[in-house]
Amino acid sequence: MLDQGAPPQQRTPRATGLGARLMRRKPVERLVAEGGQGEGGALRRSLGLWQLTMISIGATLGTGIFVVLGEAVPKAGPAVTLSFVIAGLTALFSALSYAELAGTIPVAGSSYSYAYATMGELIAWICGWCLVLEYGVSVAAVAVGWGEYLNELLDGTIGVTIPDALSAPPGDGGVFNLPALIVVLLAMAFLLGGARESARANTVMVVVKIAALVLFCAIGVQGFRSGNYEHFMPLGMAGVSAAGATLFFSYIGFDAASTAGEEAKDAQRDLPRAIMLSLVIVTALYVLVAAVAVGAKPWRHFNDSEAALAQIMREVTGQSFWGTLLAFCAVIAIASVVLTVLYGQTRILFAMSRDGLVPKVFSRVHPKTGAPRANTVIVSLFCGVLAAAIPLGQLADATSIGTLFAFALVNIAVVVLRRTRPDMPRTFRVPLSPVFPALGFGFCVWMMGSLSTVTWVVFGVWMAVGLVFYFVYGHRRSRLATPEG
């Protein structure tokens, strides 16, 4: 039986058996036609190529260098630069697939919507649930690192730091990470004003963070010691791979532009360009800064150093001013990551809510600002509490595995859509398909295998909870399952 209320190309066959219901797909034309529509209003199309690129850079650039670098260097030694390259290649192959699908299906749901159009509802739900892990948990992880640099800034300016009890989560010597909660709430305040206002604030912060990293390279290279690169790979390729899996967390965000598909002025043209341009800029800066950092500081001294760059600046110059300046820039830079990744999370839940898989409250749009306000508040409070209570390392690895899984599905989706809808107009095409998507899939699986057993256990529990929620709530309330859907 067909959905008779929709145009022919948008009609969805009514699935009867369980297997058929789990595999029901949402037509691409219907996904695009519903773009921007929410409960009580619609999202506003106000973002151009510049803003979209800044969103992707804002969501990506900063975390890996300002925060996670201190966690990755002890795993790989000086070869951490190679780890960045490997993580970047993994991101690149997936970015190519994202670029094609973003230009073909320019909607807010990102890889969730791509999976819904190609592989069916159950796979789409799994992908969406992974995106909640990617975006929601990474907001918390980045917020934790923000608190580290805030303490560096306070120490360098007024000689006071926030006590461990209020600046570290349980398990890291504290009780509650107050700074992490504060930065999430600040990002929430910007997002409640609307996409255009948030994009403007993000652009300013992105310019500041790029300037800060260029400044670090200019000063850090003065302390460069070639001896720090002796024994380039002290922990072998296993260490490089493990560090690469952790550093992949720092590439999370290049796909953030794809979550803005329903607020872009010319989504089909600008989304692929923004994704690829942002990844090239970010990868170049990451590798350059990592090379300078390891050259200026012996790799064994990076342990427990979540504000590593500020410390290197202070050590190279012998003055606290430069370290304090970098800490100030890092506070702004990391705040932009929180802002843009939080934005992406709200838009993914917006798309899932519109499809009926999560409660309708997430797709309610405020008529004045054109923003999903209730969605933003709920997600922000959840991420803020998470950031205040869980250590950074656990959050980063959990985010990486969720992201890698979602990226692997995107590489499959681009091949499936090529086979099932070969005549669809595409503003960008993955070269050498299906070879490059297969490489992207393989890299993702390889890096997932490099993560710890604990991370896999956490991921397994997360997926089990998601499947329970889907079968209890989403499966029955899906718009494709209802007569009016």
Side-chain angles (χ1 to χ4, degrees):
M1 181 178 179
L2 294 175
D3 176 6
Q4 300 296 331
Q9 71 272 22
Q10 297 182 28
R11 293 177 184 172
T12 307
R14 293 292 178 207
T16 54
L18 176 61
R21 292 197 302 271
L22 296 179
M23 295 298 292
R24 55 196 173 202
R25 292 180 292 177
K26 190 170 184 179
V28 173
E29 291 80 7
R30 181 171 174 180
L31 280 166
V32 176
E34 292 178 354
Q37 300 302 314
E39 292 286 326
L43 302 177
R44 296 176 181 173
R45 293 191 177 276
S46 59
L47 305 177
L49 175 61
W50 172 252
Q51 290 91 344
L52 292 170
T53 303
M54 290 299 103
I55 287 174
S56 281
I57 295 177
T60 311
L61 184 61
T63 310
I65 286 297
F66 287 111
V67 180
V68 183
L69 180 65
E71 301 240 349
V73 171
K75 297 180 180 180
V80 70
T81 52
L82 182 58
S83 299
F84 267 115
V85 172
I86 291 173
L89 281 173
T90 303
L92 173 62
F93 288 120
S94 295
L96 292 170
S97 294
Y98 261 101
E100 176 168 330
L101 291 172
T104 308
I105 313 175
V107 293
S110 186
S111 52
Y112 154 77
S113 295
Y114 309 153
Y116 213 164
T118 57
M119 292 178 281
E121 186 172 283
L122 178 61
I123 301 299
W125 169 262
I126 291 172
C127 189
W129 194 243
C130 286
L131 290 176
V132 172
L133 187 63
E134 172 190 348
Y135 282 87
V137 179
S138 67
V139 167
V142 175
V144 171
W146 186 83
E148 295 290 331
Y149 274 97
L150 180 62
N151 259 339
E152 288 279 332
L153 177 61
L154 293 175
D155 185 40
T157 52
I158 61 177
V160 175
T161 59
I162 302 172
D164 287 346
L166 294 177
S167 63
D172 273 4
V175 176
F176 192 79
N177 193 331
L178 183 61
L181 175 61
I182 290 174
V183 72
V184 175
L185 295 181
L186 287 174
M188 178 186 76
F190 277 110
L191 291 175
L192 289 176
R196 177 184 294 177
E197 290 72 17
S198 301
R200 287 173 179 169
N202 172 65
T203 298
V204 173
M205 290 188 280
V206 168
V207 171
V208 169
K209 78 168 77 178
I210 292 177
L213 292 175
V214 172
L215 175 66
F216 169 81
C217 291
I219 294 178
V221 74
Q222 298 174 29
F224 192 92
R225 300 290 183 272
S226 59
N228 289 339
Y229 274 90
E230 292 181 0
H231 308 296
F232 181 71
M233 202 181 293
L235 302 175
M237 196 61 199
V240 173
S241 176
T246 295
L247 287 173
F248 189 78
F249 169 81
S250 62
Y251 285 92
I252 293 170
F254 75 80
D255 58 323
S258 67
T259 67
E262 295 173 21
E263 290 161 287
K265 295 177 183 178
D266 190 346
Q268 290 184 308
R269 184 195 68 181
D270 292 341
L271 287 180
R273 295 178 181 181
I275 290 170
M276 299 308 301
L277 183 59
S278 64
L279 184 62
V280 169
I281 293 172
V282 166
T283 302
L285 281 170
Y286 275 170
V287 173
L288 179 61
V289 174
V292 172
V294 175
K297 183 173 184 173
W299 70 272
R300 292 183 180 85
H301 296 174
F302 276 80
N303 286 320
D304 301 322
S305 180
E306 290 174 356
L309 299 192
Q311 294 174 11
I312 291 172
M313 293 272 276
R314 189 162 49 244
E315 292 166 3
V316 169
T317 62
Q319 301 175 12
S320 61
F321 170 77
W322 295 107
T324 302
L325 177 61
L326 189 75
F328 169 74
C329 294
V331 166
I332 296 175
I334 297 172
S336 77
V337 179
V338 175
L339 174 66
T340 48
V341 175
L342 192 64
Y343 166 85
Q345 175 65 94
T346 59
R347 270 44 180 187
I348 289 164
L349 285 172
F350 175 87
M352 296 176 73
S353 174
R354 186 173 56 208
D355 292 334
L357 301 184
V358 297
K360 289 185 178 180
V361 66
F362 290 102
S363 57
R364 289 177 187 164
V365 176
H366 192 273
K368 183 178 180 181
T369 64
R373 281 194 168 183
N375 179 344
T376 301
V377 172
I378 293 170
V379 171
S380 299
L381 292 177
F382 171 79
C383 293
V385 172
L386 199 65
I390 300 179
L392 172 64
Q394 296 176 20
L395 289 171
D397 283 349
T399 303
S400 291
I401 195 169
T403 305
L404 287 165
F405 193 89
F407 284 8
L409 292 178
V410 169
N411 285 294
I412 296 173
V414 75
V415 175
V416 172
L417 195 61
R418 284 274 191 102
R419 296 289 180 87
T420 58
R421 301 293 302 274
D423 298 327
M424 284 193 68
R426 289 167 168 84
T427 55
F428 178 88
R429 298 178 73 91
V430 179
L432 299 178
S433 180
V435 176
F436 276 12
L439 286 173
F441 178 82
F443 268 111
C444 289
V445 172
W446 174 52
M447 296 193 76
M448 288 176 71
S450 300
L451 293 168
S452 68
T453 302
V454 174
T455 302
W456 274 97
V457 171
V458 171
F459 181 65
V461 171
W462 176 260
M463 294 308 301
V465 171
L467 289 173
V468 169
F469 186 91
Y470 170 71
F471 284 106
V472 170
Y473 183 92
H475 178 66
R476 295 183 299 170
R477 294 176 180 264
S478 167
R479 287 190 61 194
L480 296 187
T482 58
E484 65 275 13

